Amino acid sequence: MNDAVAKKLQAAFPEAIAEVIDFRGERTFVIDAGNLLPICQFLRDDPELRYNFVSDICADDMLPAYPRFALNYHLRSIPHNHVIRLRVPVADPEQGPPTLASLWPVATWLEMEVWDLMGIRFAGNNSLRRLFLPGDWVGHPLRKDYPLGYEEVQFSFNWEAIDARKPYAKD
Amino acid sequence: MGIEQKLGSMGVVTYRLEDLVNWGRTNAMWPMLFGLACCAIEMMSTQASHYDASRFGMELMRPSPRQSDLMIVAGRVSRKMGPVLRRLYDQMPDPKWVIAMGDCASCGGIFNNYAIVQGVDEIVPVDVYVAGCPPRPEALIDGIMTLQEKIRGEKLTTWAEK
Amino acid sequence: MTIPITAEDDTVQELTVEELRAKYGSGMTIESEENMLLSMGPQHPSTHGVLRLLVELDGETVVNLANDIGFLHTGVEKNMEAKTYTKALVMTDRLDYLAPMSNNMGYVLAVEKLLGVEAPPRAQVIRIILLEMARIGSHLVWLGTHALDLAAMSVFLYCFREREYILDVFEMVAGQRMMVSYFRPGGLWRDVPEDFVPAIRQFLDFFPAKIADYEALLKNNPIWLQRTKDIGAISGEDAISWGLTGASLRGSGVDWDIRKSHPYMGYETYDFEVPLETDGDVYARYHCRMREMWQSLRIIEQALARLKPGPINIDDRKIVPPPRAELGRSMEAVIHHFKLWTEGFSAPTGYVYQSIESPRGEFGCYLRGNGTPKPARVHFRTPSYVNLASLPVLAKGTFIADLVAIIGSIDIVLGEIDR
């Protein structure tokens, strides 16, 4: 099935597939953001492929590589029991790939998570908002240049120093 | 105590007001049904058939803060939840107590990062800390009984501060 | 670094429609200014945690609904990047805290896939037994709280009584009731004790009668039927496009179970059925999960028969620490032990995605290694998060009282939604 998908995709979009990666039995098609929507449309509607289920959209920060961000689309074909990964490099997070909401309504929801935690904007998705973090939060925590936010732990040797500056609540 | 011995059985019991009120507060405590994370499941176990917290006058969980006098912070408190938690605490009528259940609520636990408040005592004053991740139901019951002991020792003079 | 907590005053009623759209996105359309806006949660007994819903009501009918989550955002994915592969395991327990075994499994399988190793047969069988026990335990909490929401209080007490037995088994093998961290990359933490097999046998003996008890309480109960039949129905096609998985998808008649379609841990060699229902309503999802418990018992029974003595860890000292007994005799074992617990093992550069069938649906773990002992990126595809996306569709047009039935039926856990 894997090879059949690759052949079909290459036949339909000869220019679009930049690279095919095989790792641990998983096949990844690296594609360009501009081709994402037509390829997904093709994968979903072709009667021999029928990738009708978007399982996950996952963003990855490849710092210090360029392009810095990459998006993984894990698509499943429930009728043919097959899984595929499309990997879309994203250089500018403000100019992300188009939304897949027209193909799968759940994509809106998955893209909201990517926007909130990784800060990649999806063209055409205007529901992007702070979802996990408070509305006035600055920054996107899953980026590599965002600090983890470690606080010094209170042990017996530094008990008093931390106790003095810890903001205890009052009634 | 003294007067009954002098007058015989007249159907009257005398008691110190302080002890009587503390006794009443101790054994009819209404905890708030306030589950946040993993510890909330252990809190449910504490309430359920096997551990049965109603043995300690604790079975009546109220979902509304306005009807409860004990807040069991069961789970990790995120930066987004912090203001909500404080608002719930402010809505509880006096006197009120707080149990920080579990490591996350007590000190942040294993989550020392941007999202979690490092100890709920930064938001509300805590009376009893219960350690464990999550604490066993026995540990929570022990925490509750520690709180009851603490309440029994409260003084009339400090009620106004509460 | 301390981030100050800002007071967030967002009384929904005081916001204009435009402000609401900015806050909740264009997914939240307000149909009429005369409708009532209700903020449900995050402190609500029936939202199964700290979920907040913004509901637009016309009388008692739900017109629109927007999810607001993040009240339990823990930063698990970010925090795991700062730990070694083994130490990051404890974080996965706290995602879906009703079935920590399943989370461990998803993460450990992803690590094993990245390393290119496979656990020995005995470890696989023990894993399957515990995974199915976890599935039953999770379904028991779901059933108890779901019934409690719909005013059937006694089911809750029965369910938690049996769940205690499952937790005792977990404590027996892992030393912890809930946060077990028992599955490790390459095998298990340690072998099961002697009492394990008799305990499971006893469970298999008494539990079928208990499921029958729960069904007797609910299955033909007229109140239960009225509250669940034809409520929150979704067609199979819609369920697929909304990304539903688990019993929520199978309740709509789609035959999809990762254990069957992409088997892991040798699930393909076990004989079990995937329960299917066709109605797609709350009752169908309820019935699916009840039937799943029977199938889990079948799997446990078969797995017990296959439990043969043997190693529980792979024989690779670069991944699995040496047994305690070796430390006294072998200098090499001491070095391995020291290296593994201070530095950890390194995984190759590359990325994998491994999914398993958790009690709630497809639990996926995306893992990228970069040649160091710490994962470069961990991402969880959690079933509750994706299932929650369809709540506005399911709830549209129902009464507000049915909303709690629908939330209960898609079986969400806020810990894995917010992560």
Side-chain angles (χ1 to χ4, degrees):
Chain A
M1 184 73 190
N2 247 333
D3 292 327
V5 178
K7 278 197 192 106
K8 273 196 90 94
L9 263 182
Q10 246 136 11
F13 300 92
E15 308 285 294
I17 297 164
E19 202 182 344
V20 181
I21 304 168
D22 277 314
F23 183 68
R24 305 284 187 224
E26 293 179 0
R27 178 157 285 188
T28 310
F29 295 95
V30 182
I31 57 168
D32 190 54
N35 293 316
L36 177 69
L37 209 52
I39 286 182
C40 286
Q41 178 98 42
F42 175 74
L43 286 171
R44 191 190 67 164
D45 295 339
D46 189 274
E48 284 173 34
L49 303 175
R50 307 255 327 262
Y51 282 87
N52 54 352
F53 186 87
V54 54
S55 176
D56 189 27
I57 299 176
C58 159
D60 205 339
D61 185 354
M62 314 287 286
L63 193 76
Y66 184 86
R68 181 175 161 188
F69 297 98
L71 281 166
N72 297 294
Y73 292 82
H74 296 105
L75 308 180
R76 278 184 192 282
S77 160
I78 289 187
H80 298 303
N81 186 15
H82 198 252
V83 63
I84 192 178
R85 179 192 291 124
L86 301 177
R87 194 169 170 91
V88 182
V90 180
D92 181 5
E94 288 298 318
Q95 309 284 326
T99 174
L100 295 183
S102 56
L103 301 176
W104 295 284
V106 71
T108 319
W109 184 243
L110 297 170
E111 286 161 2
M112 272 153 83
E113 182 199 342
V114 174
W115 156 250
D116 189 13
L117 298 179
M118 197 63 99
I120 299 176
R121 201 175 274 286
F122 292 85
N125 185 345
N126 43 14
S127 320
L128 299 176
R129 58 176 158 101
R130 282 288 178 197
L131 196 62
F132 292 95
L133 297 160
D136 53 356
W137 197 271
V138 179
H140 302 281
L142 279 183
R143 290 189 179 180
K144 292 286 179 200
D145 51 4
Y146 191 95
L148 181 63
Y150 179 84
E151 264 180 49
E152 199 182 344
V153 182
Q154 197 171 18
F155 291 110
S156 45
F157 73 89
N158 60 359
W159 183 275
E160 281 167 6
I162 291 185
D163 202 45
R165 65 166 191 262
K166 197 172 159 90
Y168 287 112
K170 302 199 174 54
D171 260 328
Chain B
M1 314 281 157
I3 196 163
E4 298 114 8
Q5 280 158 358
K6 285 226 156 107
L7 300 176
S9 175
M10 289 168 59
V12 177
V13 178
T14 59
Y15 211 53
R16 284 198 312 179
L17 178 68
E18 203 171 70
D19 292 346
L20 190 69
V21 172
N22 283 343
W23 172 77
R25 283 177 174 178
T26 310
N27 292 316
M29 196 164 268
W30 289 9
M32 183 158 66
L33 186 65
F34 183 54
L36 286 169
C38 334
C39 292
I41 309 298
E42 286 298 59
M43 189 168 73
M44 276 155 65
S45 293
T46 315
Q47 301 286 328
S49 37
H50 202 277
Y51 291 97
D52 193 11
S54 60
R55 291 175 295 163
F56 308 99
M58 285 273 179
E59 81 279 23
L60 198 59
M61 302 287 269
R62 305 309 300 183
S64 165
R66 293 176 199 278
Q67 298 169 347
S68 48
D69 44 16
L70 169 65
M71 179 190 252
I72 302 178
V73 185
R76 45 197 188 250
V77 180
S78 70
R79 301 273 168 200
K80 195 173 178 180
M81 192 66 197
V84 182
L85 187 116
R86 179 70 207 193
R87 187 187 278 192
L88 287 169
Y89 178 78
D90 288 341
Q91 285 176 353
M92 285 164 62
D94 283 332
K96 52 193 171 187
W97 297 275
V98 177
I99 292 180
M101 179 185 180
D103 289 346
C104 300
S106 301
C107 64
I110 62 169
F111 300 110
N112 196 341
N113 60 27
Y114 65 94
I116 294 297
V117 177
Q118 298 298 303
V120 75
D121 47 11
E122 292 181 12
I123 302 173
V124 292
V126 177
D127 292 281
V128 173
Y129 299 86
V130 182
C133 189
R136 295 180 60 91
E138 290 99 323
L140 178 61
I141 290 173
D142 182 61
I144 288 169
M145 295 182 75
T146 311
L147 180 71
Q148 290 182 338
E149 213 159 284
K150 186 173 173 177
I151 295 170
R152 264 186 228 111
E154 276 184 7
K155 294 282 168 238
L156 192 63
T157 47
T158 58
W159 285 353
E161 292 163 22
K162 258 278 172 192
Chain C
M1 190 187 72
T2 311
I3 301 155
I5 299 163
T6 51
E8 191 187 23
D9 194 358
D10 50 0
T11 317
V12 168
Q13 271 80 0
E14 290 166 8
L15 299 178
T16 64
V17 175
E18 280 69 37
E19 283 169 329
L20 272 170
R21 286 214 179 104
K23 197 168 168 52
Y24 291 96
S26 60
M28 184 68 203
T29 45
I30 310 293
E31 300 226 333
S32 161
E33 297 276 352
E34 287 173 14
N35 286 347
M36 183 179 144
L37 281 174
L38 184 75
S39 173
M40 185 173 166
Q43 160 64 8
H44 189 279
S46 299
T47 51
H48 293 237
V50 280
L51 170 68
R52 179 165 175 241
L53 302 170
L54 185 64
V55 194
E56 185 191 355
L57 289 172
D58 180 12
E60 270 205 78
T61 314
V62 176
V63 181
N64 267 316
L65 187 149
N67 301 314
D68 189 12
I69 59 173
F71 291 99
L72 198 55
H73 178 60
T74 317
V76 167
E77 290 174 6
K78 179 85 175 173
N79 216 333
M80 284 173 85
E81 291 171 13
K83 292 177 182 289
T84 65
Y85 283 97
T86 314
K87 287 176 184 171
L89 178 66
V90 295
M91 298 262 166
T92 62
D93 285 312
R94 284 133 183 106
L95 290 171
D96 173 1
Y97 36 76
L98 295 183
M101 290 279 185
S102 294
N103 306 343
N104 285 175
M105 193 72 264
Y107 174 71
V108 165
L109 273 181
V111 176
E112 285 177 354
K113 196 174 191 178
L114 189 61
L115 294 169
V117 299
E118 196 176 333
R122 181 176 167 85
Q124 296 204 1
V125 173
I126 295 174
R127 281 177 180 182
I128 289 224
I129 295 174
L130 291 171
L131 280 175
E132 295 305 320
M133 291 289 274
R135 189 181 312 277
I136 292 174
S138 165
H139 281 359
L140 284 177
V141 179
W142 156 77
L143 180 66
T145 51
H146 187 32
L148 191 64
D149 287 344
L150 299 181
M153 173 123 191
S154 44
V155 183
F156 170 78
L157 297 171
Y158 288 126
C159 286
F160 268 69
R161 184 184 62 190
E162 271 75 70
R163 184 172 176 268
E164 287 298 329
Y165 190 91
I166 296 174
L167 293 186
D168 285 347
V169 172
F170 287 175
E171 192 179 1
M172 180 196 289
V173 297
Q176 246 276 32
R177 279 158 58 87
M178 282 170 70
M179 304 305 160
V180 283
S181 300
Y182 183 61
F183 305 150
R184 298 287 164 88
L188 303 170
W189 172 54
R190 54 176 69 168
D191 208 346
V192 291
E194 274 177 22
D195 298 343
F196 177 72
V197 176
I200 301 282
R201 285 222 187 283
Q202 199 188 338
F203 180 76
L204 289 176
D205 283 344
F206 79 78
F207 195 65
K210 305 290 180 189
I211 308 183
D213 277 357
Y214 313 142
E215 288 192 331
L217 280 168
L218 293 176
K219 199 172 178 183
N220 297 315
N221 182 336
I223 303 174
W224 181 257
L225 290 177
Q226 242 174 19
R227 294 290 314 263
T228 55
K229 279 266 182 194
D230 300 327
I231 307 284
I234 188 166
S235 71
E237 209 169 296
D238 282 352
I240 290 176
S241 63
W242 276 99
L244 281 172
T245 45
S248 311
L249 181 63
R250 294 191 284 272
S252 300
V254 182
D255 188 1
W256 183 251
D257 189 317
I258 307 282
R259 291 178 293 175
K260 286 277 188 198
S261 61
H262 297 277
Y264 50 93
M265 289 288 100
Y267 264 116
E268 68 274 20
T269 59
Y270 291 83
D271 177 29
F272 66 102
E273 285 162 27
V274 177
L276 282 183
E277 296 285 325
T278 47
D279 292 345
D281 56 1
V282 174
Y283 185 80
R285 294 190 274 271
Y286 150 77
H287 205 209
C288 251
R289 291 202 180 88
M290 293 305 280
R291 287 167 59 198
E292 269 182 26
M293 290 208 253
W294 290 105
Q295 300 301 325
S296 293
L297 288 178
R298 275 179 71 186
I299 298 174
I300 296 173
E301 205 162 346
Q302 295 168 44
L304 263 192
R306 297 185 192 184
L307 194 61
K308 301 280 182 316
I312 50 137
N313 276 315
I314 52 166
D315 192 27
D316 186 348
R317 291 279 179 270
K318 302 289 176 209
I319 296 170
V320 177
R324 188 84 201 155
E326 269 181 39
L327 291 184
R329 306 193 300 267
S330 156
M331 189 62 211
E332 204 183 6
V334 175
I335 295 171
H336 278 139
H337 180 90
F338 180 74
K339 283 288 271 186
L340 273 175
W341 290 118
T342 52
E343 190 188 311
F345 55 81
S346 300
T349 307
Y351 37 85
V352 292
Y353 177 79
Q354 173 69 40
S355 56
I356 64 158
E357 184 75 17
S358 94
R360 264 151 276 281
E362 179 189 341
F363 180 88
C365 178
Y366 169 88
L367 193 64
R368 179 162 70 87
N370 57 356
T372 64
K374 291 175 183 175
R377 173 85 167 97
V378 193
H379 169 81
F380 293 108
R381 185 261 189 223
T382 51
S384 297
Y385 176 74
V386 188
N387 288 0
L388 186 67
S390 61
L391 186 60
V393 186
L394 293 171
K396 203 161 191 169
T398 58
F399 290 134
I400 180 107
D402 297 331
L403 189 54
V404 293
I406 296 168
I407 296 171
S409 77
I410 57 172
D411 192 16
I412 50 169
V413 170
L414 266 292
E416 68 171 9
I417 290 178
D418 292 344
R419 291 175 298 234

